[in-house]
Amino acid sequence: METVVQQLLNAAQLGAVYALIALGYSMVYGVIRLINFAHGDIFMVGGFAGLLLALRFTWMPLWALMPLAMLLTALLGVAIERVAYRRLRQAQRMSLVITALGVGIFLENLVRLGVGPETRQIPSRMPTTPVAWLQDALGVSVTWDKLLIIFVSLALMALLWAVVHRTLLGTAMRAVADDKDVVPLMGVNLNRVIAVTFAIGSALAAAGGVFFGQAYSLDPYMGIDLGWKAFIAAVIGGIGSIEGAVLGSFLLAGVEVLTVAYLSSNLKNGIAFGLLILLLLIWPSGLLGRPASKKV
Amino acid sequence: MSLLRLEQVSVAYGAIRALHGVDLEVREGEIVSLLGANGAGKSTILRAVSRMLPLQGGDILLGGRSVRATPAHELVALGVAHVPEGRGIFPSLTVQENLALATWTRRERRHVEEATRRVFRLFPRLAERRTQAGGTLSGGEQQMLAVGRALMTGCRLLLLDEPSMGLSPLLVREVFRAFQEINAEGTTLLLVEQNAHMALKIAHRGCVLENGRIVLEGPAAELAGHPRVREAYLGEAGASSPPCPGTPGSSR
């Protein structure tokens, strides 16, 4: 029983990181119908931004370091959209996808060149003592950092949900997803809404990167594997849907962690990708996605 | 006083010229109707005015100022609202959200409240449907929402593209009555319509477009009596053939 709870918390931590990445995939797809294949690498850059800040400003507490890493990565996301994607918005889908892949490779090599190819870890800025009350109540030993990662991630997701559903900016983002040609007729600057979407998506990915760098480790190519996983999570949940991205992420992390714990770590990816295929056979537009029917 | 003035406006879709040097004037407080067959360039004029399409030549003046280089979203702040062909409702947004988004450039509480009251007074049905998603509305309700949304921008000039399309005759009358009311309250209307009867009935002036050129213009009553208009657009006097079958479907 203890180990099950323990495994579920591990899954929640991993799922939280997946979700922070998956949200960016989903949001960007929602506004410009692009699978931003550079997004996993933006997550990686976010982690390294956290690492460099932590090494350089050893006095800086996490609550200052993380927003700073998020801000820097948000600027990177906006710059990528401005420089690489915007002028291709009217071009063929394929040009945009290839460009995204190229941007990803560029970022991987940029970080490898600048920081080095080694695996690094962000020196922990979070308390790593066990949570006493959880130990007493359930008999499981969980450290504070794990709990913090889970709850701060959930708080960020709740904040995003509130922005998207309760503000005029969020209304504009959903309107762009519905019909971006009409949006300027409302007086809304389409380019700015798209830029903000990239900024938010990149900032969330950076938060995931900083958490991942503390809980696990960082290397310049980690964005490939984790990016794919988060992308799968977004597709399982229904790409374009915020709730779907979160649901898919926790589902995928749960399947992975439980497979490793009770079956075999070799089966982890096989089962994760198998799940994707199976779920998409049953729900082609994802668990919470809108059916891709053309409106008349 | 002239609110909108098109001077020698030319527009092309790729290699296809849609407008050939159109001159058009809309004065403050008027309703002007644009008539013409499919593909004559009526919608293109509206899309050029709202800056959804780049101009190839000529100029567009709003209150005497050129808006040639003004992006579409900035034109809304200058008082131009465009109800596009097919209404352009955001289907996943509620009625209220659809309306709210149009206040993007004018968020003062007083304006938003006043405009909302005005829209709900003109179209009480929208008030009932407030929390319903735009995509679940009937065609007529969507048209009301599209017009209401345009009014939320606080526009001086309202561009209406085929507002009667797909509506029952009863609804068409209801919507056109609202247009007259909107106009009486001081908003200028530039109306593109297939339904020439209704369009000329409420308009002060009208223009007839053929193949991207204005071929006739004048007071609405005079146009309604013009033999060419009667034959081609009002379906009277033994109309034999449509006026310009040469350019099918090039208006989009």
Side-chain angles (χ1 to χ4, degrees):
Chain A
M1 179 61 205
E2 298 93 61
T3 52
V4 175
V5 175
Q6 196 110 36
Q7 293 302 343
L8 286 178
L9 282 164
N10 288 340
Q13 175 177 264
L14 186 63
V17 174
Y18 283 168
L20 289 174
I21 312 171
L23 286 167
Y25 275 111
S26 222
M27 288 170 68
V28 165
Y29 180 82
V31 293
I32 57 169
R33 294 288 179 270
L34 162 72
I35 306 293
N36 181 11
F37 282 116
H39 190 62
D41 299 294
I42 292 176
F43 153 78
M44 177 272 297
V45 172
F48 274 94
L51 173 71
L52 295 182
L53 287 169
L55 294 179
R56 170 124 201 162
F57 308 106
T58 43
W59 48 269
M60 194 184 277
L62 187 73
W63 58 259
L65 189 146
M66 205 170 83
L68 204 55
M70 289 169 73
L71 178 71
L72 292 173
T73 314
L75 292 176
L76 173 73
V78 172
I80 290 172
E81 190 273 326
R82 182 73 191 80
V83 173
Y85 299 160
R86 185 174 296 178
R87 65 194 68 205
L88 290 175
R89 218 180 278 156
Q90 311 298 334
Q92 289 179 38
R93 292 291 78 185
M94 193 52 80
S95 316
L96 205 49
V97 170
I98 301 288
T99 305
L101 287 169
V103 169
I105 294 169
F106 170 75
L107 292 176
E108 287 156 21
N109 286 285
L110 189 74
V111 171
R112 197 182 66 146
L113 208 66
V115 192
E118 303 84 18
T119 298
R120 313 282 285 265
Q121 193 169 23
I122 300 181
S124 183
R125 297 289 168 89
M126 288 188 282
T128 48
T129 50
V131 185
W133 50 269
L134 260 176
Q135 184 115 45
D136 295 344
L138 294 169
V140 287
S141 115
V142 179
T143 51
W144 269 110
D145 55 341
K146 191 168 286 180
L147 217 56
L148 272 173
I149 288 178
I150 296 169
F151 281 110
V152 174
S153 303
L154 288 175
L156 286 173
M157 293 170 212
L159 188 67
L160 174 70
W161 189 90
V163 167
V164 170
H165 290 280
R166 292 284 177 269
T167 68
L168 204 55
L169 174 68
T171 307
M173 289 165 66
R174 285 179 289 136
V176 174
D178 268 0
D179 188 345
K180 75 173 165 7
D181 297 334
V182 181
V183 165
L185 298 182
M186 304 295 110
V188 179
N189 185 338
L190 179 66
N191 285 333
R192 194 165 308 158
V193 175
I194 290 174
V196 168
T197 306
F198 271 87
I200 294 177
S202 306
L204 290 174
V210 172
F211 284 151
F212 197 82
Q214 300 210 8
Y216 311 98
S217 64
L218 300 175
D219 73 81
Y221 298 106
M222 71 181 198
I224 303 173
D225 189 42
L226 278 137
W228 278 114
K229 292 285 176 54
F231 170 57
I232 292 172
V235 172
I236 289 177
I239 194 140
S241 151
I242 288 178
E243 297 87 344
V246 174
L247 179 70
S249 297
F250 283 110
L251 197 68
L252 183 67
V255 170
E256 269 189 34
V257 168
L258 294 179
T259 308
V260 173
Y262 298 106
L263 295 171
S264 145
S265 60
N266 292 328
L267 292 176
K268 184 176 88 167
N269 284 347
I271 291 196
F273 287 84
L275 177 76
L276 168 81
I277 295 170
L278 201 67
L279 280 175
L280 290 184
L281 281 174
I282 307 170
W283 290 283
S285 40
L287 296 174
L288 302 179
R290 284 189 252 169
S293 63
K294 276 266 164 224
K295 53 177 188 274
V296 192
Chain B
M1 193 208 135
S2 121
L3 177 59
L4 176 74
R5 193 186 189 93
L6 276 68
E7 289 175 352
Q8 287 296 308
V9 166
S10 298
V11 172
Y13 296 95
I16 302 158
R17 266 278 186 100
L19 295 179
H20 305 265
V22 167
D23 288 308
L24 176 71
E25 190 186 7
V26 179
R27 292 189 283 264
E28 192 106 50
E30 270 188 323
I31 300 180
V32 175
S33 288
L34 294 174
L35 308 178
N38 268 332
K42 301 174 310 238
S43 297
T44 306
I45 289 187
L46 296 194
R47 289 152 64 84
V49 170
S50 66
R51 310 306 304 114
M52 288 175 87
L53 289 174
L55 299 191
Q56 225 187 17
D59 202 354
I60 295 175
L61 304 173
L62 187 70
R65 242 183 70 193
S66 169
V67 292
R68 211 194 140 109
T70 309
H73 66 268
E74 280 177 26
L75 215 67
V76 176
L78 295 177
V80 179
H82 181 174
V83 178
E85 193 176 356
R87 303 167 191 124
I89 292 302
F90 300 114
S92 76
L93 268 50
T94 64
V95 167
Q96 202 145 30
E97 286 173 332
N98 265 286
L99 294 174
L101 189 60
T103 63
W104 185 268
T105 55
R106 294 204 55 187
R107 299 192 203 182
E108 321 91 82
R109 211 204 176 102
R110 244 196 61 201
H111 165 75
V112 174
E113 280 170 3
E114 252 170 47
T116 310
R117 262 201 306 276
R118 180 184 182 203
V119 169
F120 286 163
R121 175 174 50 75
L122 280 167
F123 306 113
R125 216 150 351 142
L126 291 182
E128 293 163 27
R129 302 262 187 270
R130 215 181 289 226
T131 56
Q132 219 171 296
T136 66
L137 300 181
S138 71
E141 289 163 349
Q142 286 193 5
Q143 189 60 56
M144 293 174 191
L145 179 54
V147 175
R149 201 173 56 173
L151 293 178
M152 295 296 287
T153 64
C155 56
R156 291 186 291 160
L157 173 64
L158 182 54
L159 312 174
L160 296 159
D161 199 344
E162 304 275 9
S164 76
M165 199 204 279
L167 301 190
S168 70
L170 197 72
L171 270 171
V172 171
R173 269 199 294 279
E174 195 177 331
V175 170
F176 272 69
R177 206 174 303 133
F179 293 159
Q180 281 181 301
E181 214 172 317
I182 292 164
N183 177 248
E185 288 167 352
T187 309
T188 307
L189 267 57
L190 180 56
L191 173 67
V192 160
E193 243 324 318
Q194 291 277 346
N195 186 336
H197 269 295
M198 288 303 284
L200 288 177
K201 205 165 124 191
I202 70 164
H204 302 106
R205 285 192 305 124
C207 297
V208 177
L209 258 111
E210 273 174 27
N211 295 321
R213 288 186 180 83
I214 290 184
V215 292
L216 263 182
E217 66 175 302
E222 241 170 66
L223 272 189
H226 194 285
R228 191 157 163 195
V229 173
R230 287 177 58 157
E231 184 177 339
Y233 304 105
L234 299 174
E236 291 166 19
S240 50
S241 64
C244 48
T247 51
S250 63
S251 82
R252 292 230 47 178

Short mmCIF file of all heavy atoms in Angstrom, two decimals, chain A residues 165 168-169 171-172 174-176 178-190 193 290 295, chain B residues 50 52 72-73 76 82 84 88-93 97-98 100-105 107 149 153:
data_model
loop_
_atom_site.label_atom_id
_atom_site.label_comp_id
_atom_site.label_asym_id
_atom_site.label_seq_id
_atom_site.Cartn_x
_atom_site.Cartn_y
_atom_site.Cartn_z
N HIS A 165 -9.96 31.36 -19.37
CA HIS A 165 -11.43 31.35 -19.30
C HIS A 165 -12.05 32.56 -18.62
O HIS A 165 -13.25 32.74 -18.67
CB HIS A 165 -11.90 30.08 -18.60
CG HIS A 165 -11.69 28.85 -19.43
ND1 HIS A 165 -12.52 28.49 -20.46
CD2 HIS A 165 -10.70 27.94 -19.43
CE1 HIS A 165 -12.07 27.38 -21.03
NE2 HIS A 165 -10.96 27.03 -20.42
N LEU A 168 -10.23 38.80 -20.80
CA LEU A 168 -10.47 39.15 -22.19
C LEU A 168 -9.34 38.62 -23.08
O LEU A 168 -9.58 38.19 -24.21
CB LEU A 168 -10.60 40.67 -22.32
CG LEU A 168 -11.40 41.18 -23.53
CD1 LEU A 168 -12.78 40.56 -23.57
CD2 LEU A 168 -11.50 42.69 -23.52
N LEU A 169 -8.12 38.62 -22.53
CA LEU A 169 -6.99 38.06 -23.28
C LEU A 169 -7.25 36.58 -23.59
O LEU A 169 -7.04 36.12 -24.71
CB LEU A 169 -5.69 38.21 -22.48
CG LEU A 169 -4.48 37.54 -23.09
CD1 LEU A 169 -4.05 38.24 -24.37
CD2 LEU A 169 -3.32 37.49 -22.10
N THR A 171 -10.14 35.13 -23.73
CA THR A 171 -11.23 35.09 -24.71
C THR A 171 -10.65 35.27 -26.12
O THR A 171 -11.03 34.57 -27.05
CB THR A 171 -12.26 36.20 -24.42
OG1 THR A 171 -12.66 36.08 -23.05
CG2 THR A 171 -13.49 36.05 -25.30
N ALA A 172 -9.72 36.21 -26.24
CA ALA A 172 -9.09 36.45 -27.55
C ALA A 172 -8.34 35.21 -28.01
O ALA A 172 -8.38 34.84 -29.18
CB ALA A 172 -8.16 37.65 -27.47
N ARG A 174 -8.97 32.10 -27.28
CA ARG A 174 -9.94 31.09 -27.74
C ARG A 174 -10.57 31.50 -29.07
O ARG A 174 -10.88 30.66 -29.91
CB ARG A 174 -11.00 30.85 -26.66
CG ARG A 174 -10.46 30.02 -25.49
CD ARG A 174 -11.49 29.81 -24.41
NE ARG A 174 -11.75 31.05 -23.70
CZ ARG A 174 -12.97 31.47 -23.37
NH1 ARG A 174 -14.03 30.77 -23.70
NH2 ARG A 174 -13.13 32.60 -22.72
N ALA A 175 -10.74 32.81 -29.25
CA ALA A 175 -11.31 33.29 -30.51
C ALA A 175 -10.34 33.00 -31.66
O ALA A 175 -10.76 32.60 -32.74
CB ALA A 175 -11.60 34.78 -30.42
N VAL A 176 -9.05 33.19 -31.42
CA VAL A 176 -8.06 32.89 -32.46
C VAL A 176 -8.14 31.41 -32.83
O VAL A 176 -8.06 31.05 -34.00
CB VAL A 176 -6.63 33.26 -31.99
CG1 VAL A 176 -5.60 32.80 -33.01
CG2 VAL A 176 -6.51 34.76 -31.77
N ASP A 178 -10.77 29.60 -32.74
CA ASP A 178 -12.01 29.40 -33.50
C ASP A 178 -11.87 29.87 -34.94
O ASP A 178 -12.22 29.16 -35.87
CB ASP A 178 -13.16 30.18 -32.85
CG ASP A 178 -13.93 29.34 -31.85
OD1 ASP A 178 -13.57 28.17 -31.67
OD2 ASP A 178 -14.88 29.86 -31.26
N ASP A 179 -11.42 31.10 -35.12
CA ASP A 179 -11.41 31.69 -36.46
C ASP A 179 -10.47 32.89 -36.45
O ASP A 179 -10.89 34.00 -36.13
CB ASP A 179 -12.83 32.13 -36.85
CG ASP A 179 -12.91 32.57 -38.30
OD1 ASP A 179 -11.84 32.80 -38.91
OD2 ASP A 179 -14.03 32.68 -38.82
N LYS A 180 -9.22 32.68 -36.82
CA LYS A 180 -8.26 33.76 -36.60
C LYS A 180 -8.43 34.91 -37.59
O LYS A 180 -8.01 36.02 -37.32
CB LYS A 180 -6.83 33.24 -36.54
CG LYS A 180 -6.18 32.84 -37.83
CD LYS A 180 -4.73 32.54 -37.53
CE LYS A 180 -3.95 31.78 -38.56
NZ LYS A 180 -4.46 31.47 -39.83
N ASP A 181 -9.09 34.64 -38.73
CA ASP A 181 -9.27 35.71 -39.71
C ASP A 181 -10.23 36.80 -39.22
O ASP A 181 -10.13 37.95 -39.63
CB ASP A 181 -9.79 35.15 -41.03
CG ASP A 181 -8.79 34.19 -41.65
OD1 ASP A 181 -7.58 34.35 -41.36
OD2 ASP A 181 -9.19 33.28 -42.40
N VAL A 182 -11.17 36.42 -38.38
CA VAL A 182 -12.17 37.38 -37.92
C VAL A 182 -11.64 38.20 -36.73
O VAL A 182 -12.12 39.30 -36.47
CB VAL A 182 -13.49 36.66 -37.54
CG1 VAL A 182 -14.54 37.64 -37.09
CG2 VAL A 182 -14.01 35.86 -38.73
N VAL A 183 -10.65 37.65 -36.03
CA VAL A 183 -10.18 38.30 -34.80
C VAL A 183 -9.76 39.76 -34.99
O VAL A 183 -10.14 40.61 -34.18
CB VAL A 183 -9.05 37.45 -34.17
CG1 VAL A 183 -8.29 38.22 -33.12
CG2 VAL A 183 -9.64 36.20 -33.54
N PRO A 184 -9.03 40.11 -36.07
CA PRO A 184 -8.67 41.53 -36.22
C PRO A 184 -9.89 42.44 -36.34
O PRO A 184 -9.83 43.61 -35.95
CB PRO A 184 -7.85 41.55 -37.51
CG PRO A 184 -7.34 40.18 -37.67
CD PRO A 184 -8.38 39.28 -37.09
N LEU A 185 -11.00 41.91 -36.85
CA LEU A 185 -12.21 42.73 -37.00
C LEU A 185 -12.80 43.11 -35.65
O LEU A 185 -13.69 43.94 -35.56
CB LEU A 185 -13.26 41.99 -37.84
CG LEU A 185 -12.86 41.65 -39.27
CD1 LEU A 185 -14.01 40.98 -40.00
CD2 LEU A 185 -12.42 42.91 -40.02
N MET A 186 -12.33 42.45 -34.58
CA MET A 186 -12.77 42.81 -33.24
C MET A 186 -11.86 43.88 -32.63
O MET A 186 -11.99 44.24 -31.47
CB MET A 186 -12.76 41.58 -32.32
CG MET A 186 -13.57 40.40 -32.82
SD MET A 186 -15.33 40.78 -32.86
CE MET A 186 -15.60 40.86 -34.62
N GLY A 187 -10.88 44.34 -33.42
CA GLY A 187 -9.94 45.33 -32.90
C GLY A 187 -8.78 44.70 -32.16
O GLY A 187 -7.99 45.39 -31.53
N VAL A 188 -8.68 43.37 -32.26
CA VAL A 188 -7.63 42.66 -31.53
C VAL A 188 -6.41 42.47 -32.43
O VAL A 188 -6.56 42.04 -33.58
CB VAL A 188 -8.14 41.28 -31.07
CG1 VAL A 188 -7.05 40.52 -30.33
CG2 VAL A 188 -9.37 41.43 -30.20
N ASN A 189 -5.25 42.80 -31.91
CA ASN A 189 -4.01 42.61 -32.65
C ASN A 189 -3.65 41.12 -32.61
O ASN A 189 -3.17 40.60 -31.61
CB ASN A 189 -2.91 43.45 -32.02
CG ASN A 189 -1.62 43.40 -32.83
OD1 ASN A 189 -1.40 42.46 -33.59
ND2 ASN A 189 -0.78 44.39 -32.65
N LEU A 190 -3.88 40.46 -33.75
CA LEU A 190 -3.68 39.01 -33.83
C LEU A 190 -2.25 38.62 -33.48
O LEU A 190 -2.01 37.67 -32.73
CB LEU A 190 -4.04 38.54 -35.24
CG LEU A 190 -3.88 37.05 -35.53
CD1 LEU A 190 -4.86 36.25 -34.70
CD2 LEU A 190 -4.10 36.76 -37.01
N VAL A 193 -1.65 38.55 -29.76
CA VAL A 193 -2.27 37.41 -29.06
C VAL A 193 -1.41 36.15 -29.28
O VAL A 193 -1.17 35.38 -28.35
CB VAL A 193 -3.71 37.18 -29.54
CG1 VAL A 193 -4.30 35.93 -28.90
CG2 VAL A 193 -4.57 38.38 -29.20
N ARG A 290 -11.98 18.37 -29.52
CA ARG A 290 -13.18 18.56 -30.32
C ARG A 290 -13.07 17.72 -31.57
O ARG A 290 -12.03 17.69 -32.20
CB ARG A 290 -13.31 20.04 -30.74
CG ARG A 290 -13.77 20.91 -29.61
CD ARG A 290 -14.06 22.28 -30.16
NE ARG A 290 -13.05 23.23 -29.74
CZ ARG A 290 -12.94 24.44 -30.24
NH1 ARG A 290 -13.73 24.83 -31.20
NH2 ARG A 290 -12.01 25.26 -29.81
N LYS A 295 -17.19 22.72 -40.02
CA LYS A 295 -18.48 23.38 -39.88
C LYS A 295 -18.93 23.90 -41.24
O LYS A 295 -18.12 24.25 -42.09
CB LYS A 295 -18.41 24.51 -38.87
CG LYS A 295 -17.31 25.52 -39.11
CD LYS A 295 -17.40 26.62 -38.08
CE LYS A 295 -16.43 27.74 -38.40
NZ LYS A 295 -15.10 27.57 -37.90
N SER B 50 -12.16 47.47 -44.69
CA SER B 50 -11.76 47.07 -43.33
C SER B 50 -10.31 46.58 -43.31
O SER B 50 -9.86 46.06 -42.31
CB SER B 50 -12.70 46.00 -42.79
OG SER B 50 -12.58 44.81 -43.54
N MET B 52 -8.83 44.10 -44.65
CA MET B 52 -8.53 42.68 -44.67
C MET B 52 -7.78 42.32 -45.95
O MET B 52 -7.15 41.27 -46.01
CB MET B 52 -9.83 41.86 -44.62
CG MET B 52 -10.52 41.89 -43.27
SD MET B 52 -12.11 41.02 -43.34
CE MET B 52 -11.59 39.33 -42.99
N ALA B 72 -5.82 46.13 -40.02
CA ALA B 72 -7.26 45.90 -39.77
C ALA B 72 -7.65 46.18 -38.32
O ALA B 72 -8.66 46.82 -38.05
CB ALA B 72 -7.62 44.47 -40.16
N HIS B 73 -6.83 45.68 -37.37
CA HIS B 73 -7.28 45.80 -35.98
C HIS B 73 -7.27 47.25 -35.50
O HIS B 73 -8.01 47.61 -34.60
CB HIS B 73 -6.44 44.91 -35.06
CG HIS B 73 -5.00 45.31 -34.95
ND1 HIS B 73 -4.03 44.79 -35.76
CD2 HIS B 73 -4.38 46.18 -34.13
CE1 HIS B 73 -2.87 45.32 -35.44
NE2 HIS B 73 -3.05 46.17 -34.46
N VAL B 76 -10.59 49.33 -36.31
CA VAL B 76 -11.71 49.20 -35.37
C VAL B 76 -11.68 50.35 -34.37
O VAL B 76 -12.72 50.94 -34.07
CB VAL B 76 -11.64 47.83 -34.65
CG1 VAL B 76 -12.74 47.73 -33.61
CG2 VAL B 76 -11.75 46.69 -35.65
N HIS B 82 -16.88 45.67 -39.18
CA HIS B 82 -17.20 44.89 -40.38
C HIS B 82 -17.88 43.60 -39.95
O HIS B 82 -17.30 42.82 -39.21
CB HIS B 82 -15.88 44.60 -41.11
CG HIS B 82 -16.04 43.82 -42.38
ND1 HIS B 82 -14.98 43.58 -43.22
CD2 HIS B 82 -17.11 43.25 -42.96
CE1 HIS B 82 -15.41 42.88 -44.27
NE2 HIS B 82 -16.70 42.67 -44.12
N PRO B 84 -18.63 40.30 -41.34
CA PRO B 84 -18.19 39.62 -42.56
C PRO B 84 -19.25 38.70 -43.12
O PRO B 84 -20.20 38.31 -42.42
CB PRO B 84 -16.97 38.82 -42.10
CG PRO B 84 -17.19 38.58 -40.65
CD PRO B 84 -17.98 39.75 -40.14
N GLY B 88 -19.09 35.10 -39.23
CA GLY B 88 -17.84 35.09 -38.47
C GLY B 88 -18.00 35.03 -36.97
O GLY B 88 -17.19 35.56 -36.22
N ILE B 89 -19.05 34.32 -36.51
CA ILE B 89 -19.22 34.12 -35.07
C ILE B 89 -18.13 33.18 -34.56
O ILE B 89 -17.70 32.28 -35.26
CB ILE B 89 -20.61 33.47 -34.83
CG1 ILE B 89 -21.71 34.46 -35.16
CG2 ILE B 89 -20.76 32.95 -33.43
CD1 ILE B 89 -21.63 35.71 -34.37
N PHE B 90 -17.66 33.41 -33.33
CA PHE B 90 -16.74 32.46 -32.72
C PHE B 90 -17.58 31.36 -32.07
O PHE B 90 -18.20 31.60 -31.04
CB PHE B 90 -15.85 33.15 -31.69
CG PHE B 90 -15.02 34.24 -32.29
CD1 PHE B 90 -15.21 35.56 -31.93
CD2 PHE B 90 -14.05 33.95 -33.23
CE1 PHE B 90 -14.46 36.57 -32.50
CE2 PHE B 90 -13.29 34.95 -33.81
CZ PHE B 90 -13.50 36.27 -33.45
N PRO B 91 -17.60 30.17 -32.67
CA PRO B 91 -18.59 29.16 -32.24
C PRO B 91 -18.38 28.66 -30.81
O PRO B 91 -19.35 28.28 -30.16
CB PRO B 91 -18.42 28.03 -33.26
CG PRO B 91 -17.12 28.28 -33.92
CD PRO B 91 -16.84 29.74 -33.85
N SER B 92 -17.14 28.62 -30.33
CA SER B 92 -16.95 28.05 -28.99
C SER B 92 -17.08 29.10 -27.89
O SER B 92 -17.12 28.76 -26.71
CB SER B 92 -15.59 27.35 -28.90
OG SER B 92 -14.56 28.30 -28.79
N LEU B 93 -17.16 30.36 -28.28
CA LEU B 93 -17.34 31.42 -27.28
C LEU B 93 -18.83 31.64 -27.04
O LEU B 93 -19.64 31.53 -27.96
CB LEU B 93 -16.72 32.73 -27.79
CG LEU B 93 -15.26 33.04 -27.42
CD1 LEU B 93 -14.35 31.87 -27.73
CD2 LEU B 93 -14.77 34.28 -28.13
N GLU B 97 -19.30 36.32 -24.43
CA GLU B 97 -17.87 36.43 -24.75
C GLU B 97 -17.65 36.99 -26.15
O GLU B 97 -16.74 37.78 -26.37
CB GLU B 97 -17.20 35.06 -24.62
CG GLU B 97 -17.02 34.61 -23.18
CD GLU B 97 -16.52 33.18 -23.06
OE1 GLU B 97 -16.80 32.36 -23.98
OE2 GLU B 97 -15.87 32.87 -22.06
N ASN B 98 -18.50 36.57 -27.09
CA ASN B 98 -18.43 37.13 -28.44
C ASN B 98 -18.59 38.64 -28.39
O ASN B 98 -17.83 39.38 -29.02
CB ASN B 98 -19.54 36.54 -29.32
CG ASN B 98 -19.08 35.34 -30.13
OD1 ASN B 98 -18.35 35.50 -31.10
ND2 ASN B 98 -19.48 34.16 -29.74
N ALA B 100 -18.16 40.58 -25.70
CA ALA B 100 -17.12 41.20 -24.87
C ALA B 100 -15.83 41.41 -25.67
O ALA B 100 -15.15 42.42 -25.53
CB ALA B 100 -16.84 40.35 -23.64
N LEU B 101 -15.51 40.43 -26.52
CA LEU B 101 -14.25 40.52 -27.26
C LEU B 101 -14.21 41.78 -28.12
O LEU B 101 -13.16 42.38 -28.32
CB LEU B 101 -14.05 39.27 -28.12
CG LEU B 101 -12.68 39.14 -28.76
CD1 LEU B 101 -11.59 39.11 -27.71
CD2 LEU B 101 -12.59 37.92 -29.64
N ALA B 102 -15.38 42.18 -28.62
CA ALA B 102 -15.44 43.35 -29.50
C ALA B 102 -15.21 44.65 -28.74
O ALA B 102 -15.08 45.72 -29.35
CB ALA B 102 -16.78 43.40 -30.23
N THR B 103 -15.13 44.59 -27.41
CA THR B 103 -14.85 45.81 -26.66
C THR B 103 -13.35 45.93 -26.37
O THR B 103 -12.94 46.71 -25.51
CB THR B 103 -15.61 45.85 -25.32
OG1 THR B 103 -15.17 44.75 -24.50
CG2 THR B 103 -17.10 45.74 -25.53
N TRP B 104 -12.57 45.13 -27.06
CA TRP B 104 -11.11 45.08 -26.85
C TRP B 104 -10.48 46.48 -26.87
O TRP B 104 -9.63 46.81 -26.06
CB TRP B 104 -10.48 44.22 -27.95
CG TRP B 104 -9.02 43.98 -27.81
CD1 TRP B 104 -8.01 44.71 -28.35
CD2 TRP B 104 -8.39 42.91 -27.09
NE1 TRP B 104 -6.79 44.18 -28.02
CE2 TRP B 104 -7.00 43.08 -27.25
CE3 TRP B 104 -8.86 41.83 -26.33
CZ2 TRP B 104 -6.08 42.20 -26.68
CZ3 TRP B 104 -7.93 40.97 -25.77
CH2 TRP B 104 -6.56 41.16 -25.94
N THR B 105 -10.91 47.31 -27.82
CA THR B 105 -10.30 48.64 -27.94
C THR B 105 -11.03 49.68 -27.09
O THR B 105 -10.59 50.82 -27.01
CB THR B 105 -10.30 49.13 -29.41
OG1 THR B 105 -11.64 49.07 -29.88
CG2 THR B 105 -9.43 48.25 -30.27
N ARG B 107 -12.57 49.53 -23.44
CA ARG B 107 -12.93 48.72 -22.28
C ARG B 107 -13.50 49.53 -21.13
O ARG B 107 -13.72 49.01 -20.06
CB ARG B 107 -11.71 47.97 -21.78
CG ARG B 107 -11.17 47.04 -22.84
CD ARG B 107 -10.16 46.09 -22.28
NE ARG B 107 -9.30 45.63 -23.35
CZ ARG B 107 -8.33 44.75 -23.18
NH1 ARG B 107 -8.09 44.27 -21.99
NH2 ARG B 107 -7.59 44.38 -24.21
N ARG B 149 -22.22 42.36 -32.07
CA ARG B 149 -20.80 42.38 -31.78
C ARG B 149 -20.13 43.58 -32.43
O ARG B 149 -19.30 44.25 -31.82
CB ARG B 149 -20.20 41.07 -32.32
CG ARG B 149 -18.92 40.67 -31.72
CD ARG B 149 -18.51 39.31 -32.21
NE ARG B 149 -18.43 39.25 -33.67
CZ ARG B 149 -17.97 38.20 -34.34
NH1 ARG B 149 -17.56 37.14 -33.70
NH2 ARG B 149 -17.93 38.21 -35.65
N THR B 153 -18.14 47.52 -30.67
CA THR B 153 -16.88 48.22 -30.89
C THR B 153 -17.06 49.72 -30.79
O THR B 153 -16.08 50.46 -30.75
CB THR B 153 -16.29 47.90 -32.30
OG1 THR B 153 -17.21 48.41 -33.27
CG2 THR B 153 -16.09 46.42 -32.50
#
